[in-house]
Amino acid sequence: MRRFLLVGAIAVVGLIFIFRLFYLQIYSGGILDLYEDNAIRKVYDYPKRGFVFDRNGELLVSNQPSYDVMFIPREVKPLDTLEFCRLLKIDKVRFKEIFEKAYHYSPWLPSVFIPHLSKEDYASLQEKMRKFEGFYIQKRSLRHYETSIGANVLGDIGEVNDAIIARDPYYKMGDLIGKQGIETSYEKTLRGVKGIKFIQKDRFNRDLGPYKDGIYDTLPKPGSDITITIDAKLQAYGELLMQNKHGGIIAIEPSTGEILTMVSTPTYNPNLLVGRQRSVNFSKLYNDSINKPLYDRGLQAMYPPGSPFKILNALIGLQEEVVTTEDRFYCNHGYSYGGRKMGCHGHPSPLAMNGGIYNSCNAYFANVYRRIIDKTKSPATGLDIWSNHVKSFGLGNYLNNDLSVGQPGKIPTSKTYDQVYGKNRWGSTFNLSNSIGQGEVLTTPIQLANMTAAIANRGYYYTPHIIKHIEGHTIDKKYTTPNHTTINKEHFEPIVQGMFDVYNYGTAAGVQVKGIEICGKTGTAENFVKVNGQRMQLTDHSIFIAFAPKDNPKIALAVFVENGYWGARFAGKIASLMIEKYINDSITRTDMEDWLLKHTLEHEYAKPYSGKPFGINKNTTLEVVDDSEFKELKELLNQINSKSRNPEELKKTQGANL
């Protein structure tokens, strides 16, 4: 028995040694263990990041060479830190901070010591690198933005943080990743895949050469080039018109859902967030609490939509058969209800639907809204029917697009008012402001632009998106599949005619463009702000939606100008000029151009921070920029106009007008 036990024990021990030897020589020699082996140095080869082009083939983003000072903490030998810091233009305190952070991350893995050396700094340091054992220089590429526009569209790249590294093992300390805009939306497409070389070291930590003759080494796979839907020239033009103003412009091609412009102002030059000054510049932009240049107003700002929202109430009224195009309602400078009055400007009365739209009559749409909500026995049921119709136009959600940021807006339901007033304790007069795009309704400019595209298409829209083409890939089908609203197609024609008459006889008659049939709707939204905990009213916002041409539309857009007084004053002018620029690639209304470049709203934005009393500005006199700034803006305008658009692209946009 003892003999068998002894033989069995010897056999078990032998098997253990055999399996252990197999593991060490065969299994553990695999690629995964190379990353953990301290006797193997890992050298990453970074791929070329994909280029970015606009819809007309203009190069917007390319790459430029950059040099990172790398180090492996455990391999650093005593060195002349004063000389090293002088060469890198840092102090000893910063040297210690960087070293300790990298050592804490991993004493054995490479970390970036100083990123983005200039060519001059690289040249002076390269000669002396042999003196600083444990440090080496790694070449990679940085972004080079070939334009000064579209910072919110293009975004930027920056170093990964600990949270990103923990979430995605692809990234290592010092790696770069898209931080905003398309750089983050299409990060995996643009970045490519890193290559790697495994270098065998001896016991003195000296390089011996490629591990196993480089059989595990990989080459970098370059990122894919992408073409985005933005028209760079139209984007530049929009940003110029919005100079000295806060707000956003979103323009969409209705037939595809492609975003033509995505203006957010104030903005900044995207090259500010490239290189060693990125951190300093980012902090300045981030801490600008008045202008908020990093805040994308076109995608993130939620505003009351104002009068453009009336169009949806007209469509819902027709769909629910509570109103016809011929029903007339009286307006006595407003709509009276429950001892209160919703005011309105002077115009003929009574009005049918067409006149209600182009005169933007509050009383007309208050009547329509009440008929919608009160159609059923329960106001809650009526409001939920109304809410579902509104949401079918893409309002109240993120739109499921490919943009890096956004907000859902707000479309109320019966639960909204049940929570405030109690169940069955409210009616249509409790939320009558919804009839004119105020109250609990909030939208973003991109949602309004998408709503306008759905109207232009007579009842459907394509999900707004910014990607047009990816090298070697196809576009997601969700961007080519139409989303249908709950409104029947036949109800759109009278609404479109009403929007057309806004330009012919109504509130936008002063911003017409000869030769282009534009359909639009002006809007003015109340504007409140809290100062020292007190709710105060500022000058109203200026809103405008439009599409053109009336038939076979090529562009639909929404313009939002904060503190812009009323719809046609700022937003209406901008919308008309943007449409003419896109369709004709030229401008006849240079009077509106000059007016917009001359006038500033900076004084309005400074009011809450001035420490002085302020209120609603009813004054028609505006502040103007000085002559030197106006001259500079005109020169920029001439530069934009000097770039002619691709003739084939221009032919497409003009087709319906010829």
Side-chain angles (χ1 to χ4, degrees), residues 376-387:
T376 59
K377 291 183 179 180
S378 166
T381 302
L383 191 123
D384 285 339
I385 292 171
W386 170 87
S387 181

Side-chain angles (χ1 to χ4, degrees), residues 22 33 63 76 87 154 243 271 274 308 334 344 436 443 520 560 584:
F22 172 83
D33 289 280
N63 299 310
V76 173
L87 289 168
L154 303 175
Q243 193 82 10
N271 283 297
V274 176
C344 191
I436 60 171
T443 60
F560 208 106
N584 291 339

Side-chain angles (χ1 to χ4, degrees), residues 126-235:
Q126 176 67 14
E127 297 176 358
K128 301 183 179 182
M129 279 302 291
R130 56 183 175 75
K131 298 168 62 176
F132 309 118
E133 194 171 343
F135 292 87
Y136 62 97
I137 292 178
Q138 178 173 271
K139 184 179 179 180
R140 71 164 93 186
S141 61
L142 274 185
R143 281 317 220 180
H144 178 61
Y145 297 96
E146 306 278 348
T147 178
S148 61
I149 57 119
N152 63 310
V153 178
L154 303 175
D156 63 282
I157 59 175
E159 283 193 34
V160 294
N161 55 34
D162 293 340
I164 294 172
I165 293 171
R167 188 169 63 245
D168 189 341
Y170 172 85
Y171 297 100
K172 308 299 178 186
M173 180 174 273
D175 281 0
L176 302 176
I177 190 173
K179 292 286 187 177
Q180 301 174 96
I182 57 170
E183 293 283 16
T184 187
S185 295
Y186 288 92
E187 161 67 12
K188 290 185 178 179
T189 301
L190 290 167
R191 78 182 183 192
V193 180
K194 288 180 290 189
I196 189 169
K197 295 178 181 178
F198 298 98
I199 308 298
Q200 179 73 60
K201 298 186 294 184
D202 65 13
R203 63 192 183 92
F204 298 107
N205 214 31
R206 295 174 300 197
D207 289 350
L208 296 177
Y211 175 74
K212 290 193 175 180
D213 295 324
I215 62 171
Y216 294 117
D217 294 354
T218 60
L219 293 172
K221 180 182 177 182
S224 299
D225 295 342
I226 67 173
T227 299
I228 60 174
T229 61
I230 294 294
D231 184 316
K233 186 174 181 180
L234 191 65
Q235 177 81 17

Side-chain angles (χ1 to χ4, degrees), residues 17 67 173 272 276 387 392 462 576:
F17 274 108
Y67 305 92
M173 180 174 273
L272 287 174
R276 292 185 68 177
S387 181
S392 75
Y462 292 94
S576 293

Side-chain angles (χ1 to χ4, degrees), residues 95-109:
F95 179 97
K96 186 177 180 182
E97 288 175 354
I98 298 170
F99 190 92
E100 290 179 350
K101 181 180 179 181
Y103 195 94
H104 177 73
Y105 168 68
S106 172
W108 299 106
L109 295 178

Side-chain angles (χ1 to χ4, degrees), residues 42-58:
K42 278 69 68 177
V43 179
Y44 289 102
D45 192 356
Y46 288 88
K48 175 190 82 70
R49 197 169 175 90
F51 286 8
V52 180
F53 300 86
D54 91 328
R55 68 186 296 109
N56 299 314
E58 180 179 338

Side-chain angles (χ1 to χ4, degrees), residues 370-484:
R370 289 200 66 182
R371 286 190 178 187
I372 296 168
I373 305 305
D374 296 338
K375 176 185 177 181
T376 59
K377 291 183 179 180
S378 166
T381 302
L383 191 123
D384 285 339
I385 292 171
W386 170 87
S387 181
N388 288 334
H389 282 307
V390 172
K391 290 176 180 177
S392 75
F393 285 81
L395 304 185
N397 66 68
Y398 288 96
L399 289 173
N400 193 28
N401 54 41
D402 59 345
L403 304 172
S404 61
V405 294
Q407 289 290 344
K410 183 180 180 182
I411 302 300
T413 65
S414 61
K415 290 182 180 179
T416 306
Y417 302 106
D418 286 345
Q419 292 172 354
V420 177
Y421 302 110
K423 208 166 187 178
N424 301 319
R425 301 187 65 179
W426 55 272
S428 58
T429 59
F430 283 65
N431 43 57
L432 198 60
S433 293
N434 293 340
S435 66
I436 60 171
Q438 296 275 172
E440 285 66 52
V441 177
L442 293 174
T443 60
T444 61
I446 192 172
Q447 288 175 329
L448 278 185
N450 184 65
M451 179 193 83
T452 307
I455 296 168
N457 288 334
R458 279 64 166 178
Y460 65 92
Y461 66 89
Y462 292 94
T463 300
H465 55 282
I466 202 165
I467 193 68
K468 188 172 180 69
H469 174 72
I470 302 175
E471 180 187 19
H473 299 274
T474 56
I475 303 301
D476 195 316
K477 287 184 178 179
K478 71 179 181 180
Y479 301 130
T480 57
T481 304
N483 303 283
H484 292 273

